[in-house]
Amino acid sequence: MNFNYPDGRKFQRSQKPAKLSTSQSKKILFGDRGMHLEDEINESNKYYRGHDIAVIYKKPTPVQIVKVDYPKRSRAVIKEAYFRQASTTDYNGVYNGYYIDFEAKETTQKSSFPLKNFHQHQIDHLRACEKQNGICFVIIKYVALKRYFIMPATKLFKYWDGQKHDGPKSIQLSEIVNDSYEITPDYNPTLPYIDIINKLIESRKE
Amino acid sequence: MNFNYPDGRKFQRSQKPAKLSTSQSKKILFGDRGMHLEDEINESNKYYRGHDIAVIYKKPTPVQIVKVDYPKRSRAVIKEAYFRQASTTDYNGVYNGYYIDFEAKETTQKSSFPLKNFHQHQIDHLRACEKQNGICFVIIKYVALKRYFIMPATKLFKYWDGQKHDGPKSIQLSEIVNDSYEITPDYNPTLPYIDIINKLIESRKE
């Protein structure tokens, strides 16, 4: 099947890496084993949940259900539904008493990260959660460079709001490097982003 | 349209009360204006969000999308999808830096609240979030009595786990009264449950 979510995101089945022999596995560049950012985050969240470290989930895609069939001997089938506009970001949960909320975006570009990757409702939601003292950020993946960054929401707002005053419509890699924490991809979990959340919590205390 | 969610919950459009004259409106019993608990909570959440008090949402129903049509001049239509088992509770969000997580159930009974209203995955999720120091609870509505209670998750676990040791399969109203905080229905918001969350936070500090 091949379809796009209304925000243009392509529907992709998780691409599971093929099993490898031990000698092959030593050559693996941890992280980005051909997976999309969404799968890498979901895999990490599964690890965090399984080890009682954090409880963070991707929110289901909101749909407006119009028609459902109830065949006699099988499960209910939704026959007509429409994608609804989400009101929130994609990910949230709890870590050590803190409310965690983030959006994740990937780009194939090598420096420019277009701000139109984000949508107004995601910015509004991050702002509202930031106001409530949640830990809010975005995870940005440069696919071509295999680099991952966590940019605090407050930094993102600076660029987002800058557009209103004729500011640039994209953020450059150098700016992201300056305003973000870089995640070092690893194994178990694939993306140890909780390590960065600890830094966000520390910097908040100062 | 008339269908049930896989957990048996009926799909209901929000029942909006008819407009009333002033003399009639004075007789209104605030809260339970013929609405289901889900609508009362959603209305209250909307109020809390609109007044920058808390950012709490109901999670979308998870569906597994199999087929989507893209008609030329109209929006995408999901033609085949299935209900997925949720992994979490229905509601979560942030209030004053705290992670809030809860499930909401209503009963038409006058005392007995059957524990099978809850599902194992909801209990597991509440337990995991409680472990992470989230503020976790259930909202229980006795529809016939027009009474609403917030029971902390830890109290619910006591009854849930009791079943394994031949404990009762239901909680009685008197037990709920003893182990919960009662919400006084009101107007703006309909269900001022944040007032109870403040009490949960206070009791946690002791």
Side-chain angles (χ1 to χ4, degrees):
Chain A
M1 70 221 53
N2 199 15
F3 65 87
N4 292 347
Y5 287 109
D7 62 4
R9 187 174 31 150
K10 273 191 140 41
F11 173 79
Q12 298 269 5
R13 283 196 186 285
S14 285
Q15 298 165 32
K16 292 199 193 310
K19 285 198 196 298
L20 297 160
S21 67
T22 321
S23 57
Q24 275 178 305
S25 63
K26 286 187 177 140
K27 294 180 200 158
I28 290 172
L29 187 69
F30 285 139
D32 193 24
R33 303 181 323 271
M35 291 198 293
H36 280 274
L37 179 60
E38 182 179 321
D39 300 317
E40 293 169 314
I41 294 172
N42 287 345
E43 202 175 74
S44 306
N45 287 344
K46 213 169 165 181
Y47 176 88
Y48 287 137
R49 289 192 306 266
H51 290 75
D52 284 340
I53 293 167
V55 184
I56 299 171
Y57 280 97
K58 183 172 197 290
K59 286 196 170 181
T61 305
V63 297
Q64 177 200 357
I65 296 166
V66 171
K67 201 189 300 180
V68 184
D69 278 1
Y70 295 93
K72 272 208 163 72
R73 266 180 291 271
S74 31
R75 51 182 176 159
V77 191
I78 299 162
K79 301 296 285 173
E80 186 185 351
Y82 299 90
F83 291 106
R84 275 197 290 119
Q85 165 81 287
S87 312
T88 69
T89 48
D90 276 348
Y91 300 87
N92 79 349
V94 59
Y95 164 64
N96 205 12
Y98 292 94
Y99 173 79
I100 309 299
D101 197 297
F102 63 93
E103 189 60 47
K105 301 290 183 191
E106 47 186 353
T107 179
T108 48
Q109 305 213 44
K110 291 185 178 177
S111 179
S112 253
F113 182 83
L115 283 160
K116 66 169 163 48
N117 273 305
F118 296 105
H119 305 277
Q120 187 64 51
H121 75 267
Q122 294 167 340
I123 301 292
D124 294 342
H125 176 75
L126 285 167
R127 246 193 264 266
C129 293
E130 184 75 31
K131 239 177 175 170
Q132 289 297 324
N133 275 324
I135 310 275
C136 307
F137 54 91
V138 294
I139 297 183
I140 293 171
K141 176 181 182 182
Y142 278 86
V143 175
L145 311 175
K146 295 188 189 8
R147 291 179 75 179
Y148 307 76
F149 298 92
I150 281 188
M151 178 181 276
T154 45
K155 300 284 185 182
L156 177 63
F157 301 153
K158 183 182 72 176
Y159 293 103
W160 183 266
D161 295 339
Q163 296 179 100
K164 278 182 287 188
H165 311 292
D166 280 325
K169 304 271 180 240
S170 300
I171 318 177
Q172 297 309 311
L173 175 60
S174 54
E175 294 174 303
I176 289 181
V177 167
N178 208 42
D179 280 342
S180 309
Y181 297 85
E182 187 154 4
I183 312 173
T184 312
D186 203 340
Y187 185 66
N188 279 344
T190 305
L191 275 189
Y193 70 89
I194 294 275
D195 296 356
I196 306 299
I197 287 178
N198 286 331
K199 296 185 184 176
L200 295 176
I201 293 169
E202 277 315 300
S203 74
R204 163 182 288 214
K205 291 176 179 166
E206 289 149 18
Chain B
M1 72 220 55
N2 198 15
F3 67 86
N4 292 346
Y5 286 110
D7 61 6
R9 188 175 28 152
K10 273 190 143 41
F11 174 78
Q12 298 270 5
R13 285 198 185 282
S14 283
Q15 295 163 36
K16 295 201 195 303
K19 286 199 197 294
L20 297 160
S21 67
T22 321
S23 58
Q24 274 177 306
S25 62
K26 285 184 178 145
K27 293 181 200 160
I28 291 173
L29 186 72
F30 285 139
D32 194 21
R33 299 175 336 262
M35 291 198 292
H36 280 273
L37 178 60
E38 181 179 323
D39 299 317
E40 294 169 312
I41 294 172
N42 287 343
E43 202 175 74
S44 307
N45 286 343
K46 212 168 164 180
Y47 176 90
Y48 286 138
R49 290 193 303 267
H51 289 75
D52 285 341
I53 294 168
V55 184
I56 298 171
Y57 280 97
K58 182 171 196 292
K59 286 196 172 186
T61 305
V63 297
Q64 178 199 356
I65 295 166
V66 171
K67 201 190 298 182
V68 184
D69 279 1
Y70 294 93
K72 274 213 164 71
R73 266 180 292 271
S74 34
R75 51 181 176 158
V77 191
I78 299 163
K79 301 296 285 174
E80 187 186 350
Y82 299 91
F83 292 104
R84 273 196 293 117
Q85 165 81 286
S87 313
T88 69
T89 48
D90 276 348
Y91 299 88
N92 80 348
V94 59
Y95 165 63
N96 205 11
Y98 292 94
Y99 173 79
I100 309 299
D101 198 297
F102 63 95
E103 190 59 46
K105 301 289 183 192
E106 48 186 352
T107 179
T108 49
Q109 305 213 45
K110 292 185 176 177
S111 178
S112 254
F113 181 84
L115 282 160
K116 66 171 165 38
N117 273 305
F118 296 106
H119 305 276
Q120 186 65 52
H121 74 267
Q122 295 167 339
I123 301 290
D124 293 344
H125 176 74
L126 286 167
R127 246 192 265 265
C129 293
E130 184 75 32
K131 238 177 175 171
Q132 288 298 322
N133 275 323
I135 310 277
C136 307
F137 54 92
V138 295
I139 298 183
I140 294 171
K141 176 182 181 181
Y142 278 85
V143 175
L145 311 175
K146 295 189 190 5
R147 292 178 75 178
Y148 307 75
F149 298 93
I150 282 188
M151 179 182 276
T154 45
K155 300 284 187 184
L156 177 63
F157 301 154
K158 183 183 74 177
Y159 294 103
W160 182 267
D161 295 339
Q163 294 178 103
K164 276 181 289 187
H165 311 293
D166 278 327
K169 305 269 180 240
S170 300
I171 318 177
Q172 297 310 309
L173 175 60
S174 54
E175 295 175 303
I176 289 180
V177 167
N178 210 40
D179 280 341
S180 309
Y181 297 85
E182 187 153 5
I183 312 173
T184 312
D186 203 337
Y187 186 65
N188 280 344
T190 307
L191 275 189
Y193 71 89
I194 294 276
D195 297 355
I196 306 298
I197 289 178
N198 286 330
K199 295 184 185 178
L200 295 176
I201 293 169
E202 278 315 300
S203 75
R204 164 182 288 213
K205 289 175 181 169
E206 288 149 19

